Amino acid sequence: MSSGITTPAQLERLGDHLKKLRLNKSGERLEALLQRAATDDLPYADFLEQVLGEEVAAKRSQNITMRTAMARLPFVKPLETFDFSYQPSIDKKQVLTLASCHFIEHGDNVIILGPPGVGKSHLAVSLGLKAIENGYRVLFTSAASLITALTKAHAEGKLEDKLKFYTTPRLLIVDEIGYLPIERMGANLFFQLISRRFERGPMILTSNQSFGAWGDVFGDRVIATAILDRLLHHAVTLNIRGNSYRLKEKLKAGLVRSHDENTSSQQGGEI
Ligand code: ADP
Ligand code: MG
């Protein structure tokens, strides 16, 4: 490409154009890219591809950062940080299939069950991050704060807005169902949300309680059955049976016995 001479006035005009078009990355990089194009004698199309490629990559990464903040994740741990070898009861292939996010298009819920510390929240967050990378809007909440928020909104006559808030994101993650018992009103409101989302989009739910115990969690067998009926209509369940990752180091040091040696119960119990 003929390098020509870029005058300071022309650089300034180019900078203004890029600013008006909100092509910020190109604005920052223009001088360096022009310099390189001149030195390497780049063809026109290669130069243009380089400028636009950098801009698109920068916009994508900004977008991911923004949607990650909007998702209110409690921590950011990509799936790549999950050690599958520590948790053999998890079908790694199944999780990698979920990571491709087809379940979102199909409207399948993902329910992750298992005792404390086995990586339920970690997997839920990691799948949430994959959904964000794939362009979906995601929202994370604990079951307790979801129900507190719905109950408060109901009392203030703002339930409709709150239900909208939780149904708008394409993927809703509800963590820690079963850690705290849920009042009748809370169970009813949760059921309303599940019914709304049934048409709208899928959820990832985690629980330390088996489905059989959800009657106690929701304090009402009929509501629990109605909730499960909708959730399980299209759902993938991951049942994690293993040792708490938090105890990994202690187990290694032989300070505590493993879950398998300890008990034959597979789920719901404290370790
Ligand atoms: P749960 O939600 O099932 O109680 P967490 O997902 O909170 O468990 O896991 C507890 C801690 O251990 C977290 O810091 C999590 O990142 C980590 N962790 C759990 N399982 C794994 C794993 N298989 N590989 C890497 N880190 C793990
Ligand atoms: Mg958790």
Side-chain angles (χ1 to χ4, degrees):
M1 173 162 136
S2 148
S3 61
I5 306 267
T6 317
T7 63
Q10 189 178 29
L11 258 182
E12 202 179 317
R13 282 198 305 278
L14 286 170
D16 283 348
H17 290 327
L18 293 171
K19 209 182 222 165
K20 284 205 180 90
L21 292 168
R22 295 178 200 280
L23 301 176
N24 303 334
K25 185 73 184 174
S26 308
E28 272 168 40
R29 297 270 297 137
L30 185 66
E31 246 187 291
L33 290 177
L34 279 169
Q35 188 78 52
R36 179 125 60 89
T39 319
D40 297 353
D41 203 16
L42 274 194
Y44 297 118
D46 287 12
F47 170 71
L48 194 58
E49 187 180 347
Q50 203 167 51
V51 175
L52 296 182
E54 285 196 14
E55 187 67 47
V56 167
K59 288 238 182 301
R60 182 172 184 272
S61 130
Q62 266 170 15
N63 197 281
I64 289 178
T65 306
M66 193 189 71
R67 274 176 307 111
T68 304
M70 282 170 65
R72 303 183 181 183
L73 301 170
F75 51 81
V76 173
K77 287 191 183 177
L79 191 57
E80 293 67 29
T81 64
F82 193 83
D83 178 5
F84 283 93
S85 68
Y86 186 73
Q87 220 54 269
S89 68
I90 301 178
D91 181 351
K92 181 176 177 182
K93 247 169 71 187
Q94 189 182 25
V95 175
L96 294 183
T97 304
L98 290 172
S100 70
C101 292
H102 292 311
F103 76 97
I104 299 179
E105 285 307 314
H106 293 166
D108 293 338
N109 295 311
V110 177
I111 304 173
I112 309 175
L113 301 177
V118 294
K120 300 183 297 298
S121 302
H122 187 140
L123 280 179
V125 163
S126 297
L127 290 174
L129 286 168
K130 291 287 178 202
I132 290 169
E133 274 171 35
N134 279 279
Y136 297 106
R137 254 193 73 186
V138 176
L139 181 65
F140 182 105
T141 174
S142 71
S145 40
L146 169 73
I147 285 169
T148 304
L150 290 177
T151 308
K152 184 164 175 276
H154 180 254
E156 293 169 352
K158 295 179 189 155
L159 181 60
E160 196 52 38
D161 289 350
K162 217 28 145 192
L163 284 171
K164 256 194 209 125
F165 175 76
Y166 288 112
T167 36
T168 307
R170 188 65 186 278
L171 176 66
L172 179 69
I173 303 174
V174 181
D175 197 25
E176 298 187 344
I177 293 177
Y179 279 78
L180 295 171
I182 298 166
E183 306 269 318
R184 175 174 287 268
M185 172 59 83
N188 262 303
L189 294 170
F190 188 69
F191 173 69
Q192 285 192 45
L193 176 65
I194 299 286
S195 305
R196 293 273 184 112
R197 287 210 60 98
F198 194 60
E199 294 125 38
R200 165 67 197 162
M203 304 168 73
I204 297 178
L205 300 108
T206 80
S207 180
N208 63 331
Q209 304 288 340
S210 64
F211 293 136
W214 281 30
D216 292 334
V217 170
F218 288 97
D220 182 323
R221 217 150 269 290
V222 177
I223 291 238
T225 307
I227 289 171
L228 280 171
D229 183 59
R230 278 160 184 74
L231 284 181
L232 298 178
H233 188 63
H234 289 288
V236 178
T237 304
L238 305 179
N239 232 313
I240 312 178
R241 307 175 195 89
N243 293 309
S244 164
Y245 196 82
R246 296 190 186 100
L247 296 185
K248 189 178 178 219
E249 297 307 316
K250 287 188 194 164
L251 281 169
K252 243 198 232 160
L255 295 176
V256 288
R257 284 187 301 150
S258 82
H259 190 263
D260 299 339
E261 294 164 50
N262 253 340
T263 166
S264 58
S265 112
Q266 297 191 317
Q267 198 176 292
E270 294 283 337
I271 296 171

